[in-house]
Amino acid sequence: MSDILAAAGLTKAFGGLPVTRNVSLAVRAGEIHALIGPNGAGKSSLIGQLAGTLTPDAGRVTLDGAEVTHLPPHLRARRGLARTFQVSALIGGLSALENVALAVQARAPRPLAPFRRAAGDAALEQPALAALAAVGLAERAAAPAEVLAHGERRALEIACALALQPRCVLLDEPLAGMGHAEGRAIVGLLGGLKGRFAMLLVEHDMEAVFALADRVSVLVEGRLIATGPPEAVRADPAVRAAYLGEAG
Amino acid sequence: MTRLAAALAAALLLAAPLAAWAAGNAYLLALGTRAAVFALAAVSLQFVVGFAGLVSLGHAAFLGIGAYALLMLGGAGLDETLVSLPVAVLAGALFAWPTGWVALRTRGVTFLMITLAFGQMAYFVAEALADYGGDDGMPLDRAPPLAGTALLAQPVAFHLFVLLLLAAAIAAARLLGASRFGRVLRAARQDAGRVAALGFDVTRVRLIAYVAAGAAGALAGWLLAVTTGFVSPALLDWRVAGQLLVMVILGGVAAPEGAAAGAVGLVLAEEALSAASEHGRIALGALLLGAALLRLRLRAPAR
Ligand SMILES: Nc1ncnc2c1ncn2[C@@H]1O[C@H](COP(=O)(O)OP(=O)(O)OP(=O)(O)O)[C@@H](O)[C@H]1O
Ligand SMILES: [Mg+2]
């Protein structure tokens, strides 16, 4: 299988604090690749380097075989790399539908048309509604983003990513802060999207990880200590010692 | 609230020629024209502050560039409106492009300081223009002809000309704000990282907004020069930029017509209070403080 997104030898330090140490990792077409690790292991920092919001000190990032290490985030997005944020990033003042319409707009012809009214533009809102329906938010289309419940906000972020028709999506803890039932709904949602695009899934919820992931990578103190199928990783003694063991 | 203020400001501006005629006082018309020109300047700044969320303290530079463009072209006999006005607008855009490009590498207070620095640079350049009066400035030879006619020398006609351009600027700003471009611009004000992650080049979008605002600011400067018949470095003073910011904030930041109303309110209040007494300026300070507090109170429950 071909790699959509690959990191080779990524290294990054904040001041004296190393957060990414020689990490090499690949996301294959269509797979869900889970990235797990304790708090502060450097998962979000790694996502940042893949998405382009952080520049690595060393190493390379390739997207569909082309080097993108020094490409800014918006150009990586245009090449098919979408993401969700650990802390929900939605545009307040816009409705759920309009938030997704903004994502549709990014892919539409003339995305910055200066005199073309955005509100009520069917060319944007129809695909947006389809993406909302795909995450089960169709009835909430008109609700302002800021009044949505936490779980709805996370689903809305996924709808925005969907609307970009990505090749690969980086999901930074999509279940964070959710109740169990809400969390299962998102797991069901992500499972249903499997195969439409590749996903790198950062998640603390092991139930979700083992339900969804084709492969699991384990990051501890900025270093990748294991990569492989879920069962193999679960059985890995180093992983048990460093991570799973401590969680019981 | 913003609508009421905007309607009131529009009524005042439209009534200015009538009031001047009824009172037999031409100064009332000149005051109205001045208020309308500052309203246009405030609308141009609102585009950057309100829509893009970039607080600039260098906007007076654009006023100055528009004014000096007219002065210089007049010296060369090229003050014809159909020539000098587009050239002034273009000059504003040309100054905005590189300075905006640099300033947009930064955010927040740093952006404010860099725009201030560029504004001061423009100020010192204006002061050094010995051929154009140095730091004293210089009067215009005449009101610029419009298509060869002396129409703009006629105060009422010029006033209506300014109102026309003001209305066009407000309409354009509203249209831009509601467009696809405007939605990206305003979304980036809230969360630039999010908007970039969707694939939008946030810096480029902001630069376009900054250049548009600079061009419109220079238009206001051209009009201001005609209004006062005089061009001097005082137009580029950072305190003018600060005043423009106050107008925008007074008007409520969110809408161009609000900024226009804020400008009209400030120009008129300043005039009334400084005419009334020596303590007028203190009273104006108190008034501004009161208005700012009122805005805060009005805004608080909305979010
Ligand atoms: N911008 C920054 N400047 C300095 N240190 C940072 C910065 N961002 C993160 N860190 C530090 O880098 C380390 C890794 O942080 P990161 O957010 O990548 O971890 P994480 O694995 O995503 O953790 P969590 O599971 O809590 O989200 C932490 O010690 C964090 O405090
Ligand atoms: Mg994190």
Side-chain angles (χ1 to χ4, degrees):
Chain A
M1 253 197 271
S2 63
D3 294 344
I4 298 282
L5 180 68
L10 282 188
T11 300
K12 172 88 187 168
F14 285 120
L17 176 75
V19 290
T20 308
R21 308 182 202 216
N22 195 24
V23 169
S24 299
L25 164 150
V27 183
R28 296 172 184 158
E31 80 166 341
I32 297 185
H33 190 146
L35 179 65
I36 65 174
N39 284 88
K43 304 181 295 295
S44 294
S45 303
L46 183 57
I47 294 272
Q49 290 166 73
L50 295 172
T53 49
L54 287 176
T55 311
D57 300 333
R60 282 157 45 91
V61 179
T62 53
L63 187 57
D64 260 330
E67 170 150 14
V68 297
T69 316
H70 297 286
L71 222 53
H74 70 271
L75 292 180
R76 299 190 200 196
R78 282 189 210 164
R79 292 186 182 201
L81 186 63
R83 73 176 292 187
T84 66
F85 291 83
Q86 183 167 355
V87 178
S88 274
L90 293 163
I91 306 302
L94 294 186
S95 68
L97 182 68
E98 288 167 336
N99 265 280
V100 187
L102 186 63
V104 175
Q105 187 181 323
R107 291 253 128 186
R110 312 225 312 125
L112 294 177
F115 294 109
R116 184 155 171 188
R117 201 176 159 73
D121 184 342
L124 302 179
E125 293 189 349
Q126 252 151 34
L129 199 56
L132 276 184
V135 303
L137 275 182
E139 315 86 77
R140 302 289 275 150
E146 60 267 33
V147 309
L148 296 180
H150 181 74
E152 292 175 324
R153 293 173 64 86
R154 304 310 308 224
L156 178 54
E157 279 214 69
I158 294 171
C160 291
L162 265 182
L164 293 173
Q165 301 178 323
R167 315 245 305 121
C168 179
V169 181
L170 309 171
L171 298 151
D172 198 351
E173 300 198 26
L175 273 59
M178 273 189 192
H180 189 263
E182 276 182 323
R184 284 333 96 185
I186 297 286
V187 169
L189 171 62
L190 293 176
L193 294 170
K194 193 164 172 168
R196 279 177 61 177
F197 40 76
M199 298 182 225
L200 182 65
L201 171 68
V202 172
E203 193 43 71
H204 281 297
D205 184 323
M206 287 307 136
E207 192 185 326
V209 166
F210 287 105
L212 289 170
D214 299 299
R215 289 195 299 157
V216 178
S217 287
V218 185
L219 197 68
V220 176
E221 290 175 7
R223 200 174 273 118
L224 215 55
I225 62 166
T227 292
E231 294 318 313
V233 168
R234 203 206 297 259
D236 189 315
V239 175
R240 297 200 77 88
Y243 182 50
L244 293 176
E246 94 190 339
Chain B
M1 174 71 188
T2 300
R3 276 191 181 192
L4 193 69
L8 188 64
L12 282 172
L13 293 180
L14 282 168
L18 232 63
W21 175 75
N25 183 355
Y27 181 71
L28 286 181
L29 177 56
L31 181 62
T33 306
R34 218 172 89 84
V37 172
F38 272 102
L40 178 49
V43 168
S44 69
L45 180 58
Q46 187 273 339
F47 201 66
V48 168
V49 176
F51 287 162
L54 300 164
V55 183
S56 160
L57 200 45
H59 208 64
F62 300 111
L63 284 186
I65 285 166
Y68 271 93
L70 176 58
L71 180 66
M72 290 173 172
L73 287 168
L78 291 171
D79 55 349
E80 162 61 44
T81 300
L82 298 178
V83 175
S84 63
L85 196 137
V87 170
V89 167
L90 198 67
L94 282 180
F95 182 72
W97 201 282
T99 57
W101 189 88
V102 172
L104 285 171
R105 310 287 116 183
T106 67
R107 228 138 291 170
V109 177
T110 323
F111 181 83
L112 188 109
M113 296 309 289
I114 291 195
T115 52
L116 173 63
F118 281 128
Q120 288 303 99
M121 272 169 53
Y123 176 86
F124 290 123
V125 169
E127 241 187 2
L129 294 172
D131 288 352
Y132 297 96
D135 50 4
D136 290 333
M138 225 180 180
L140 293 178
D141 290 336
R142 55 171 183 176
L146 175 62
T149 71
L151 194 65
L152 299 187
Q154 219 290 310
V156 174
F158 179 64
H159 184 72
L160 294 178
F161 182 70
V162 173
L163 291 192
L164 197 73
L165 289 175
L166 173 60
I170 291 175
R174 287 179 56 102
L175 212 59
L176 274 170
S179 72
R180 289 183 174 190
F181 174 83
R183 184 174 270 179
V184 175
L185 188 63
R186 288 186 293 164
R189 182 191 64 205
Q190 287 190 37
D191 192 336
R194 163 95 216 150
V195 173
L198 295 177
F200 293 108
D201 186 346
V202 171
T203 304
R204 177 158 163 269
V205 168
R206 286 177 170 160
L207 183 58
I208 294 170
Y210 192 77
V211 169
L219 170 65
W222 186 97
L223 293 170
L224 191 56
V226 181
T227 306
T228 55
F230 197 86
V231 176
S232 79
L235 285 177
L236 295 91
D237 194 303
W238 68 271
R239 281 169 295 190
V240 174
Q243 246 175 347
L244 290 176
L245 257 185
V246 170
M247 290 168 180
V248 171
I249 292 164
L250 203 59
V253 172
E257 64 273 20
V264 172
L266 190 66
V267 170
L268 296 186
E270 213 167 34
E271 188 66 29
L273 290 170
S274 64
S277 80
E278 275 186 24
H279 305 300
R281 300 223 146 239
I282 300 174
L284 185 64
L287 196 75
L288 287 178
L289 191 66
L293 291 175
L294 184 68
R295 286 234 81 93
L296 277 179
R297 265 186 42 128
L298 285 176
R299 191 181 289 213
R303 282 249 156 161

